[in-house]
Amino acid sequence: MTITTKSPKETHNIGKLIGEKVKPKDFVALIGDLGSGKTTFVQGIAEGLGIKIPVNSPSFVIVKEYQGKYPLVHVDIYRLKNPIDELFNIGFEEYLRREYIIVVEWADKIKDIFPENNLQITFSYNGENERMLSFIPNGDRFIKLIEEVKQCIY
Ligand code: ADP
Ligand code: MG
């Protein structure tokens, strides 16, 4: 599934739709260059989960936790040289084991540790206010989730 958005708000709203549907242990992998809309999308997910405090790109922290309908873990590994090693050093596998929703920016750097079931979203820049979001659902649960999202937007 591919969606083109024409404003930050539209990207936010697609994120919100996903945020309304995700469940603990879901893993959402965001891939795309700086400024392609990943954090904007995470803010939408947070709104969909009813999270009230603002979500922004963690500058020095790698992982931030938020409490909503379910707990959200927002990971940004942009600055990490050896992201898999550094994530394991901070005990990231605990997050994978527990009842969190995990959303990772720059997730292409840690493809080797993706859970089998995951939702992969690639963001690309199509012009100043236009972004393209390509969704790849891996596993039955995400295939179904994306079918539901399609019905909401098309
Ligand atoms: P990333 O986390 O991928 O670096 P951000 O979400 O932080 O990206 O930034 C995206 C930037 O692009 C913001 O300044 C936002 O206002 C702008 N923008 C313009 N059009 C869009 C769009 N359609 N979707 C998302 N962001 C957009
Ligand atoms: Mg970001």
Side-chain angles (χ1 to χ4, degrees), residues 34-35 37-40 56-58 74 76 105-106:
L34 210 58
K38 301 179 297 299
T39 300
T40 305
N56 38 48
S57 260
H74 179 202
D76 190 330
E105 296 192 38
W106 302 95

Side-chain angles (χ1 to χ4, degrees), residues 5 7-8 11 33-40 105 128-129 131:
T5 64
S7 68
T11 298
D33 289 340
L34 210 58
S36 59
K38 301 179 297 299
T39 300
T40 305
E105 296 192 38
E128 199 182 341
N129 292 309
R131 302 290 184 273

Side-chain angles (χ1 to χ4, degrees), residues 118-135:
N118 63 71
L119 175 61
Q120 206 173 298
I121 312 171
T122 303
F123 293 72
S124 39
Y125 186 94
N126 264 8
E128 199 182 341
N129 292 309
E130 195 173 301
R131 302 290 184 273
M132 198 176 80
L133 282 56
S134 303
F135 292 73

Side-chain angles (χ1 to χ4, degrees), residues 17-129:
L17 262 180
I18 301 286
E20 286 164 355
K21 295 183 184 301
V22 282
K23 295 235 157 63
K25 289 205 149 62
D26 281 351
F27 185 94
V28 182
L30 308 182
I31 300 167
D33 289 340
L34 210 58
S36 59
K38 301 179 297 299
T39 300
T40 305
F41 188 86
V42 179
Q43 289 163 343
I45 292 182
E47 191 189 338
L49 283 165
I51 291 163
K52 297 279 183 272
I53 56 169
V55 170
N56 38 48
S57 260
S59 357
F60 295 102
V61 229
I62 309 165
V63 173
K64 272 197 192 171
E65 266 182 68
Y66 299 89
Q67 192 57 56
K69 184 171 75 169
Y70 306 115
L72 170 70
V73 170
H74 179 202
V75 185
D76 190 330
I77 52 180
Y78 178 54
R79 287 161 201 84
L80 303 186
K81 286 222 172 63
N82 298 298
I84 293 180
D85 292 346
E86 291 179 60
L87 283 175
F88 277 92
N89 287 342
I90 61 158
F92 183 65
E93 55 308 6
E94 265 309 296
Y95 285 116
L96 292 168
R97 274 200 286 272
R98 292 203 187 142
E99 302 293 298
Y100 289 103
I101 292 155
I102 302 180
V103 181
V104 183
E105 296 192 38
W106 302 95
D108 47 322
K109 295 177 166 199
I110 60 161
K111 271 198 168 144
D112 290 345
I113 61 164
F114 280 12
E116 201 179 328
N117 295 302
N118 63 71
L119 175 61
Q120 206 173 298
I121 312 171
T122 303
F123 293 72
S124 39
Y125 186 94
N126 264 8
E128 199 182 341
N129 292 309

